[in-house]
């Protein structure tokens, strides 16, 4: 059964569709793996009753395949609603919050045949790229359980890496599909803003930062899930339809031009070994017939950061303000959430306008770069996975981090302006900890980025370097 769990989601779905394996077999194997290693990793939470999951899989075997995910077991990130399951968002405020209906993305995955078996762990409200919370505890890295799995899609990435599920959803406001992807040796795509529609309550115009998207152990798996999640929905005014990604996986990438932004001219502090690992990976691109140019910092990093901090805080103040206004609930918020709300509320309307002008200027500059390059490259993280007991790194290479999320600054050039960005595995530290690189493209280039990623996946053996499952068994 362990061999089955090493197969790609695409291969598993095809096997089920062609009756070469059963959804029940896959479900039993997945539940067995969860029972073996989840006690250590703590990636899957709110797990459904095993017999109910098996019965659903058995029913799937007796049905005509509903769609590309038919019979695949999935666990949904605990920021999204699954009817009948707990949506805690990692907050004690919502520790008993049973969802009354599926979110749009979840409904689309179910309609495509996926079987939801539970949720994946996330930081409180998804704040911070380290998955720990007072409801479900901390998620540990399968490559070293003393280390963080990243976040906020840390549970999803760790579950993928440990073979508990074949494919995973996630979300990404700052870097939550890319940082955990990097730290767990899997792929995570932050899609073009609007490609995966959101049906969350509240304002749908001002706060264009957070996206939902796919994760997988190969770009082909990511593309398969993206095509299920994506597409126009009238409830989201930013949603749109574009050509499916799966057909775009085919084709060569020889002759493409990539730009390497590295540490942004020294603006982004990097832990020892991160840059060297990524730069070694760049040589592999060149051996594939892709040219890579080292670029100067194209825009002041501090301006991008200032715009990001303010606009993110503005969004959090809008979305969580009612919790803050209730003294009893405010006492249950973590300090980072309170800081976000108070920072956002301190902004005037003209402050927000000024920050959005910076965002607009960076978008214009970035479009100029994309006129010259097929994609731009950056590390996916500035540090290796850190001890799971930490809240966040206090400094990097001797440079103090002045906020709880400054250590993630390298991910915001894409996040601020809504362009797609794919994490690809880039290698490992001397102690075996994974690292990744961001491949960032212009709006609507999601399929092209996945094609680059798929050729990368085929040319490298990073996927063969799997966690030591025996070390994870309780």
């Amino acid at each position: 059964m362990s061999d089955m769990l090493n197969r790609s989601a695409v291969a598993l779905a095809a096997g089920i569709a062609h009756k070469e394996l059963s959804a029940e077999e896959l479900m039993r194997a997945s539940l067995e793996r969860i029972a073996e290693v989840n006690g250590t990793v703590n990636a899957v939470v709110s797990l459904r009753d095993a017999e109910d999951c098996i019965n659903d899989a058995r029913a799937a075997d007796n049905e005509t395949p509903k769609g590309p995910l038919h019979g695949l077991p999935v666990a949904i990130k605990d920021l999204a609603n699954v009817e009948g399951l707990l949506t805690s968002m990692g907050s004690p405020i919502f520790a008993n919050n049973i969802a009354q209906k599926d979110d749009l993305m979840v409904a689309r995955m179910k309609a495509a045949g996926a079987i939801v078996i539970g949720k994946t762990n996330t930081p409180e409200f998804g704040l911070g790229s380290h998955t720990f919370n007072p409801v479900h505890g901390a998620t540990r890295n399968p490559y070293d359980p003393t280390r963080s799995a990243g976040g906020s899609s840390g549970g999803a990435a760790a579950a993928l890496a440990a073979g508990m599920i074949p494919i995973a959803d996630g979300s990404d406001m700052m870097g939550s599909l890319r940082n955990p992807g990097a730290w767990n040796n899997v792929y995570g795509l932050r899609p073009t803003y609007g490609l995966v529609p959101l049906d969350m309550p509240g304002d749908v115009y001002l706060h264009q930062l957070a996206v939902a998207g796919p994760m997988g152990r190969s770009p082909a798996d990511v593309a398969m899930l993206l095509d299920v999640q994506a597409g126009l929905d009238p409830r989201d005014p930013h949603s749109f339809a574009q050509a499916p990604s799966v057909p775009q996986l085919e084709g060569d990438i020889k002759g493409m031009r990539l730009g390497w932004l590295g540490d942004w001219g020294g603006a982004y502090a990097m832990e020892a070994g991160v840059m060297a690992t990524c730069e070694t990976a760049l040589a592999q691109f060149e051996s594939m017939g892709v040219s890579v140019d080292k670029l100067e910092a194209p825009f002041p990093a501090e301006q991008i950061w200032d715009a990001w901090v303010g606009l993110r805080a503005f969004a959090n103040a809008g979305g969580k303000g009612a919790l803050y206004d209730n003294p009893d609930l405010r006492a249950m918020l973590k300090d980072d959430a309170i800081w976000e709300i108070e920072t956002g509320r301190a902004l005037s309307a003209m402050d927000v306008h000024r920050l959005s002008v910076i965002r607009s200027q960076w978008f214009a500059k970035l479009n100029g770069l994309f006129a010259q390059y097929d994609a731009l490259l950056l590390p996916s993280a500035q540090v290796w996975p850190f001890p799971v007991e930490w809240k966040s790194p206090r400094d990097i290479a001797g440079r103090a981090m002045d906020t709880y999320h400054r250590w993630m600054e390298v991910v915001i050039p894409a996040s601020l302006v809504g362009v797609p960005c794919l994490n690809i595995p880039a290698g490992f530290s001397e102690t075996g900890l994974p690292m990744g690189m961001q491949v960032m493209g212009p709006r609507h280039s999601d399929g092209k980025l996945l094609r680059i990623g798929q050729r990368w996946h085929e040319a490298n053996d990073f996927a063969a370097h799997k966690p030591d499952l025996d070390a994870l068994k309780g």
Side-chain angles (χ1 to χ4, degrees):
M1 287 204 175
S2 60
D3 289 342
M4 181 190 304
L5 298 180
N6 288 333
R7 297 184 206 172
S8 71
V10 170
L12 290 170
I16 292 170
H18 294 105
K19 304 297 184 182
E20 295 164 357
L21 63 90
S22 72
E24 182 178 350
E25 286 179 281
L26 177 58
M27 180 64 72
R28 289 185 183 277
S30 295
L31 293 175
E32 181 179 331
R33 177 65 57 83
I34 291 169
E36 289 174 340
V37 305
N38 196 52
T40 298
V41 178
N42 192 34
V44 178
V45 299
S46 303
L47 188 66
R48 291 176 58 211
D49 178 77
E51 284 304 312
D52 289 342
C53 294
I54 291 168
N55 287 336
D56 286 349
R58 192 176 293 131
D61 285 327
N62 293 320
E63 294 174 336
T64 300
K66 295 178 179 178
L69 308 184
H70 190 81
L72 297 184
V74 299
I76 302 298
K77 185 175 177 180
D78 197 24
L79 297 182
N81 289 307
V82 178
E83 183 180 355
L85 293 186
L86 175 67
T87 306
S88 76
M89 295 181 277
S91 169
I93 296 173
F94 297 104
N96 299 304
N97 176 43
I98 303 300
Q100 299 303 303
K101 68 180 186 69
D102 294 330
D103 281 351
L104 171 62
M105 180 189 66
V106 175
R108 286 182 170 182
M109 291 172 67
K110 285 184 175 181
I115 302 171
V116 177
I117 63 172
K119 307 296 283 291
T120 54
N121 204 17
T122 184
E124 185 176 331
F125 296 117
L127 296 176
S129 198
H130 175 30
T131 298
F132 71 98
N133 63 69
V135 180
H136 297 297
T139 297
R140 296 172 178 268
N141 194 306
Y143 285 88
D144 181 349
T146 70
R147 300 277 164 163
S148 170
S152 62
S153 307
L160 278 172
M164 296 187 233
I165 51 177
I167 207 164
D169 75 289
S171 56
D172 187 314
M173 188 181 200
M174 190 164 181
S176 296
L177 283 156
R178 291 162 285 156
N179 167 272
W183 282 6
N184 290 273
N185 194 37
V186 298
Y187 295 84
L189 176 71
R190 177 190 168 93
T192 299
Y193 186 82
L195 179 56
V196 177
L198 302 175
D199 60 345
M200 298 175 66
D203 178 76
V204 295
Y205 284 101
L206 290 176
H207 306 303
Q208 298 183 39
L209 296 177
V211 301
M215 303 185 82
R217 293 192 290 265
S218 74
D221 289 352
V222 171
M224 180 175 69
L225 179 54
L226 177 65
D227 287 348
V228 169
Q229 297 173 325
L232 184 69
D233 185 90
R235 290 167 290 186
D236 183 344
H238 308 288
S239 69
F240 58 89
Q242 70 180 30
S245 295
V246 169
Q248 298 182 61
L249 292 172
E250 300 302 321
D252 209 338
I253 64 171
K254 289 180 180 178
M256 284 191 180
R257 295 187 66 197
L258 305 180
W260 169 240
L261 292 169
D263 62 1
W264 211 269
Y268 301 151
M270 295 284 172
E271 188 175 0
V274 171
M275 286 287 286
T277 299
C278 292
E279 286 170 349
T280 298
L282 295 179
Q284 175 67 26
F285 266 124
E286 293 177 335
S287 73
M288 297 164 63
V290 176
S291 65
V292 181
D293 295 340
K294 184 176 181 180
L295 305 181
E296 301 296 324
F299 197 86
E302 199 62 30
Q303 289 187 35
I304 293 176
W305 176 251
D306 287 346
W308 173 260
V309 170
L311 294 173
R312 174 183 166 98
F314 174 53
N316 277 301
K320 301 173 182 64
L323 304 178
Y324 180 91
D325 290 336
N326 183 317
D328 293 334
L329 299 182
R330 185 191 310 173
M332 301 169 73
L333 291 173
K334 72 175 183 178
D335 292 344
D336 297 334
I338 292 173
W339 179 83
E340 290 276 3
I341 295 165
E342 292 178 347
T343 300
R345 286 189 166 186
L347 297 171
S348 70
M350 293 313 298
D351 289 332
V352 172
H353 174 76
R354 176 182 61 82
L355 297 176
S356 194
V357 168
I358 295 172
R359 171 168 56 180
S360 302
Q361 292 169 340
W362 164 231
F363 181 72
K365 179 66 176 180
L366 188 58
N367 273 340
L369 288 173
F370 287 140
Q372 304 173 60
Y373 294 97
D374 292 281
L376 302 174
L377 304 173
L378 288 153
S380 291
Q382 294 169 238
V383 296
W384 300 99
F386 52 75
V388 71
E389 294 84 8
W390 289 13
K391 179 181 176 183
S392 64
R394 300 290 182 88
D395 67 85
I396 301 175
R399 193 182 308 179
M401 299 291 103
D402 56 359
T403 70
Y404 79 99
H405 54 1
R406 185 83 182 220
W407 63 276
M408 300 165 57
E409 190 173 0
V410 73
V411 300
I412 64 171
S415 300
L416 183 63
V417 291
V419 297
C421 195
L422 174 70
N423 172 74
I424 61 173
F428 299 85
S429 71
E430 293 180 355
T431 58
L433 296 173
M435 182 49 63
M437 282 196 303
Q438 299 175 80
V439 186
M440 176 171 59
R443 282 181 58 83
H444 310 298
S445 66
D446 308 73
K448 184 177 184 179
L449 297 186
L450 289 165
R451 181 166 77 250
I452 294 171
Q454 187 63 24
R455 298 293 85 77
W456 176 260
H457 183 73
E458 293 162 358
N460 289 282
D461 63 354
F462 298 132
H465 187 162
K466 299 186 183 302
D468 181 354
L469 295 177
D470 289 334
L472 301 178
K473 293 178 181 178

